[in-house]
Amino acid sequence: MKSMARVIRQWKLGRRTSLGFRGLAAMVNPIVAGWIGYYGRFYKSRLMHFLSQRINPFLVKWAMRKYKRLRRAKGKARRKLAEIASAFPAMFAHWKHGAMPTGSTVGAR
């Protein structure tokens, strides 16, 4: 998990505002799908929780930097990401397996 977290941090998803959602998904999906295929055999629920806690906050950060109307509204960005996830549940590999963003502010920082 430490090495996966390191790789996710190295992507710097929150800073890649030149890409759209599809561009981010194209960058992230092959690697995450490989992790799910390999590590998901052993303890899938823990892996999905880990991926939702690690990738989804970076997607919220990305949305806050990409779209001016979400710039100062973390809760609104979370809700918007949850709307997108419910409309397109197969966009990201971890969303397909149930690691969807909820849009709630439970555990907010």
Side-chain angles (χ1 to χ4, degrees):
M1 285 197 178
K2 284 183 182 181
S3 64
M4 284 191 284
R6 187 179 315 118
V7 169
I8 292 169
R9 279 192 308 272
Q10 287 173 351
W11 289 338
K12 296 181 180 163
L13 292 177
R15 296 282 182 178
R16 295 190 183 255
T17 56
S18 61
L19 299 173
F21 267 113
R22 290 199 174 115
L24 284 176
M27 185 184 87
V28 169
N29 280 347
I31 298 166
V32 173
W35 289 340
I36 292 169
Y38 185 75
Y39 296 110
R41 292 238 178 230
F42 307 107
Y43 201 175
K44 192 169 186 174
S45 62
R46 186 170 178 193
L47 177 66
M48 288 302 112
H49 179 72
F50 172 78
L51 291 175
S52 70
Q53 295 297 312
R54 293 292 177 159
I55 296 176
N56 291 338
F58 284 120
L59 293 176
V60 170
K61 228 184 230 187
W62 172 84
M64 288 174 67
R65 285 198 170 105
K66 175 86 173 171
Y67 300 107
K68 204 177 239 187
R69 64 185 173 274
L70 302 175
R71 182 103 356 131
R72 291 191 175 99
K74 196 174 212 177
K76 191 186 277 189
R78 273 193 204 104
R79 286 189 295 276
K80 189 66 176 171
L81 188 66
E83 287 175 17
I84 292 168
S86 64
F88 303 101
M91 184 175 283
F92 286 94
H94 65 289
W95 288 1
K96 288 180 201 173
H97 295 276
M100 304 276 274
T102 59
S104 68
T105 57
V106 176
R109 294 178 191 168

